[in-house]
Amino acid sequence: MSARVLDGKAVADQIRAETAPGVAAFTERAGRPPGLGIVLVGDDPASEIYVRAKLKSAADAGLRADLERLPATAALDQVIAIVDRLNRSDAHDGILVQSPLPAAMGDDAEQRVFEVVSPEKDVDGFHPVNVGRLVQNRATLAACTPSGIVEMLERSGVTIAGARAVVIGRSDIVGKPMALLLLHRHATVTMCHSRTPELPTVAAEADILVSAIGRPAFVTADFVKPGATVIDVGTTQVRDRATIERLFPPGSKRHEAFLKRGSLVVGDVHPGVADVAGALSPVPGGVGPLTIALLLRNTVTAARLRAIKTAAC
Ligand code: NAP
């Protein structure tokens, strides 16, 4: 069997096209486009790439997108001061602080920053108020990556209601909101993590298996029930040639890409899973483009809701 490829880019293009009329209508009514402020701290190469892609996509969609940069040596208070300024800005409807923040800022730095972002501008859906609303299945700005995955599943005809779903990874930004979104769509959800015993056996119960752990090719064919839908969230930069050659044979497209760049972004899911799964989201071209499309959609939603609130005041 060779799994059906779930084309995240095509779904992302659809979502962007659906968002375009909302951008145009808001811009005409408000006399300005929806605005997004992105805060980037330090010089993590992966974050640079993600932020550049977000800025370009926002500009292409007709949004205003501003980048606020701080050096890796910046203090947490400086990040909070920028967020505070964006909270008060009339031109910005959405605020995104790119993670990870530099390790030197401390273990709880991200949580402290996410708490400062105004919930109505929290287009990442990480503020405790928005997380609480998600837990209660009330309308909210929900985390972009898991929301994008739900869009991909639904638009690809994968039935969530009644399915057994297993989510590997319990982060606040992917694993937990993913499990909640699937639960609210009536899947029976199991969450797994680094202390889950017999992980392959638990994972193999899933009709829908989502892996968000950041371990290249960790999810092998024995984790997967034949015919299951497998969503690969992981994105790890791999520079080790031997690892790449174990996964992608010389002459393959992925191997060629590695030779050209000297590194390759590899998902959590082993290529051999394609022989067992019924449907599979690829890396790249799966979850990544959806995350950005949902960010744009959340920004337009935030802009519209803020405008309604202002008009009602
Ligand atoms: P994270 O905060 O590091 O969390 C990783 C999770 O994986 C943790 O819950 C951890 O368990 C679990 N884990 C680690 N090793 C494991 C193992 N051997 N067995 C079972 N569970 C294990 O990561 P994240 O921010 O959620 O991101 C996960 C991956 O998704 C990363 O590769 C990231 O780059 C990628 N990502 C991609 C997108 C996209 O748009 N494509 C967006 C977001 C994230 P414990 O809690 O027990 O430590």
Side-chain angles (χ1 to χ4, degrees), residues 46 50 54 99 110 126 144-146 149 167-176 191-196 199 211-216 218 223 232-237 265-268 283 286-292:
Y50 297 144
K54 288 169 185 174
S99 55
E110 282 177 14
F126 297 159
C144 298
T145 301
I149 292 170
V167 179
I168 314 179
R170 56 175 164 180
S171 71
D172 290 342
I173 66 173
V174 187
K176 285 178 198 158
M191 291 198 69
C192 300
H193 45 78
S194 64
R195 313 260 183 115
T196 302
L199 182 57
S211 181
I213 60 176
R215 307 218 168 230
F218 180 86
F223 283 61
D232 190 351
V233 186
T235 49
T236 307
Q237 260 322 319
V265 174
V266 178
D268 289 347
V283 173
V287 173
L290 287 162
T291 299
I292 296 184

Side-chain angles (χ1 to χ4, degrees), residues 82-129:
I82 291 179
V83 171
D84 200 38
R85 174 158 49 78
L86 291 169
N87 278 340
R88 284 181 279 106
S89 161
D90 284 337
H92 295 94
D93 306 286
I95 302 170
L96 178 157
V97 180
Q98 183 66 40
S99 55
L101 291 173
M105 282 190 180
D107 285 346
D108 62 348
E110 282 177 14
Q111 280 188 340
R112 288 180 59 191
V113 170
F114 295 155
E115 248 171 33
V116 177
V117 174
S118 160
E120 62 182 20
K121 295 191 177 186
D122 172 34
V123 285
D124 258 340
F126 297 159
H127 190 283
V129 165

